[in-house]
Amino acid sequence: MGQKKDLTGSEKSKIVRYLAEGCSSLKIAKLLKRDHRTIKRFIQNNQQGPKKRVEKPRRKITAHELRKVKRAAAKMPLATTLAIFQSCNITGVPKSTRCAILRYMAKVRKAERRPPLNKTHKLKRQDWAKKYLKTDFSKVLWTDEMRVSLDGPDGWARGWIGKGQRAPVRLRRQQGGGGVLVWAGIIKDEHVGPFWVEDGVKLNSQSYCQFLEDTFFKQWYRKKSASFKKNMSFMQDNAPSHASKYSTAWLARKGIKEEKLMTWPPCSPDLNPIENLWSIIKCEIYKEGKQYTSLNSVWEAVVAAARNVDGEQIKTLTESMDGRLLSVLAKKGGYIGR
């Protein structure tokens, strides 16, 4: 009788059927033309059932060690669970236990991205808040640029996928598929623009001033009354193309100079209410993980989203400035929540 190393799937099925019919192991070996020992070994293994999992003794964490872990997690918020426990000299704890312990005392959150603030920055932010504390912010035009890509932020492409369902497929492109640079402004309950900064144009001082001439001044500012122009203040951040001597002199020739050109503290996007408008627009154009196939399509989405922002929403943003200034002073120049 020939001997083989392993039983095939069909042979195993036949063995189970023959056993159910009351055949002995010797008879099954003859029917299958297999070695009797092979059949007996298969029957014995199946009768024993699956091997029981051996529970390893778990490492117990004391209350003192828990306090050490909590302090280490506060000092190393972006470290791995292993690094946190190793810094506390706590070894032998499996990953699942480490995660469960940290989940009890902390929450996984994405790190916030913001410019660094040093002591000088904080002092300048406080000085700025004191200077403009009694300003009528309804007469200030808040401006800024925003870049939108075809794909949108990666973190917004997540959602609830039902069990048994496949996740939707997203296009994968370098640099988010390219994008559009948008300039806009808000004043009181009105928004200015948005205007598309020409694709491929790097905004130096000359191109920035020419852009303002072709869009802001010709399409919006020129239509305003003399009294409006007299009382309006112009706000822009400290980007090199904005704060250069060339741009400052050019704006002065347009009548925007001295007190009409608002000074701006360094590293302060949290103080500009138009940043909140950008958030509203991005939430609208990228909702449900939407992607775009062309620059024109994403631009049309930006324009449509901007038109859907009503005057009351813009007014809420511009009227928030008094509270922002008080928060800056209360936090001694530190960052405030937008």
Side-chain angles (χ1 to χ4, degrees):
M1 193 180 301
Q3 294 185 6
K4 296 181 181 178
K5 289 185 179 180
D6 297 315
L7 292 168
T8 64
S10 61
E11 287 175 330
K12 291 177 182 179
S13 300
K14 288 178 181 178
I15 293 172
V16 174
R17 189 171 72 251
Y18 289 146
L19 286 172
E21 293 174 357
C23 297
S24 64
S25 59
L26 185 60
K27 185 176 180 181
I28 294 172
K30 290 179 179 179
L31 289 172
L32 297 180
K33 297 180 181 180
R34 297 296 301 261
D35 186 73
H36 181 224
R37 290 169 295 180
T38 304
I39 304 299
K40 282 187 71 175
R41 193 182 306 116
F42 172 76
I43 295 172
Q44 288 172 356
N45 290 342
N46 278 272
Q47 287 175 345
Q48 289 174 358
K51 291 183 179 180
K52 292 184 178 180
R53 183 177 176 181
V54 179
E55 291 289 339
K56 295 181 180 179
R58 294 202 171 200
R59 167 79 154 80
K60 291 185 178 180
I61 307 295
T62 65
H64 175 65
E65 288 176 330
L66 281 176
R67 290 193 293 271
K68 288 175 67 176
V69 169
K70 190 173 183 178
R71 287 194 295 269
K75 291 180 181 178
M76 309 159 58
L78 299 181
T80 62
T81 60
L82 181 60
I84 292 172
F85 275 72
Q86 285 179 342
S87 69
C88 303
N89 294 322
I90 303 174
T91 58
V93 182
K95 183 178 179 181
S96 58
T97 305
R98 297 197 304 265
C99 291
I101 291 171
L102 288 172
R103 212 176 289 122
Y104 175 76
M105 62 180 65
K107 184 179 179 181
V108 177
R109 294 179 61 189
K110 189 176 180 180
E112 296 182 9
R113 299 177 64 182
R114 55 175 56 160
L117 280 182
N118 56 35
K119 187 176 180 180
T120 303
H121 295 156
K122 291 180 179 179
L123 290 173
K124 287 185 177 181
R125 283 164 61 92
Q126 292 181 76
D127 292 341
W128 180 85
K130 292 174 183 176
K131 178 180 178 180
Y132 290 103
L133 198 57
K134 296 182 180 180
T135 301
D136 182 0
F137 290 112
S138 66
K139 296 176 181 177
V140 177
L141 176 67
W142 308 92
T143 70
D144 195 22
E145 294 93 10
M146 167 186 71
R147 180 175 173 81
V148 291
S149 65
L150 299 184
D151 294 344
D154 292 337
W156 291 11
R158 299 181 180 181
W160 297 99
I161 310 300
K163 292 183 178 179
Q165 296 181 347
R166 295 187 63 183
V169 178
R170 282 178 61 83
L171 298 174
R172 188 174 181 180
R173 297 172 286 205
Q174 290 185 349
Q175 303 297 325
V180 173
L181 185 63
V182 181
W183 183 95
I186 55 174
I187 181 170
K188 196 176 180 180
D189 58 355
E190 181 182 1
H191 61 74
V192 183
F195 298 114
W196 183 352
V197 180
E198 186 180 345
D199 185 36
V201 171
K202 184 179 180 181
L203 280 181
N204 54 30
S205 300
Q206 291 80 5
S207 60
Y208 173 65
C209 293
Q210 187 60 51
F211 169 78
L212 290 180
E213 176 65 33
D214 297 338
T215 55
F216 168 67
F217 282 102
K218 285 185 178 180
Q219 300 182 37
W220 187 82
Y221 188 73
R222 185 177 292 178
K223 300 175 184 178
K224 296 298 180 180
S225 64
S227 60
F228 177 89
K229 294 177 183 177
K230 182 180 179 181
N231 295 319
M232 189 200 82
S233 296
F234 187 84
M235 173 271 156
Q236 58 182 2
D237 61 23
N238 294 320
S241 59
H242 300 173
S244 68
K245 292 181 179 179
Y246 181 94
S247 299
T248 304
W250 185 86
L251 287 171
R253 292 196 297 272
K254 291 288 184 179
I256 299 176
K257 57 185 176 179
E258 298 173 355
E259 292 302 317
K260 292 190 67 179
L261 182 61
M262 178 179 280
T263 57
W264 193 247
C267 305
S268 300
D270 55 325
L271 299 180
N272 192 349
I274 200 173
E275 295 288 348
N276 298 86
L277 177 65
W278 296 144
S279 298
I280 294 170
I281 291 175
K282 284 187 175 181
C283 286
E284 179 62 26
I285 66 176
Y286 295 124
K287 65 182 179 181
E288 299 178 3
K290 186 172 178 60
Q291 290 180 288
Y292 298 88
T293 56
S294 67
L295 297 181
N296 284 330
S297 61
V298 72
W299 167 247
E300 290 170 1
V302 169
V303 172
R307 287 175 180 168
N308 288 335
V309 180
D310 58 34
E312 284 300 316
Q313 288 178 284
I314 295 174
K315 190 176 180 181
T316 300
L317 297 179
T318 55
E319 288 182 347
S320 68
M321 287 308 303
D322 292 320
R324 295 183 193 227
L325 267 61
L326 292 173
S327 297
V328 169
L329 295 174
K331 294 192 175 184
K332 298 181 179 180
Y335 274 113
I336 62 173
R338 291 196 220 171

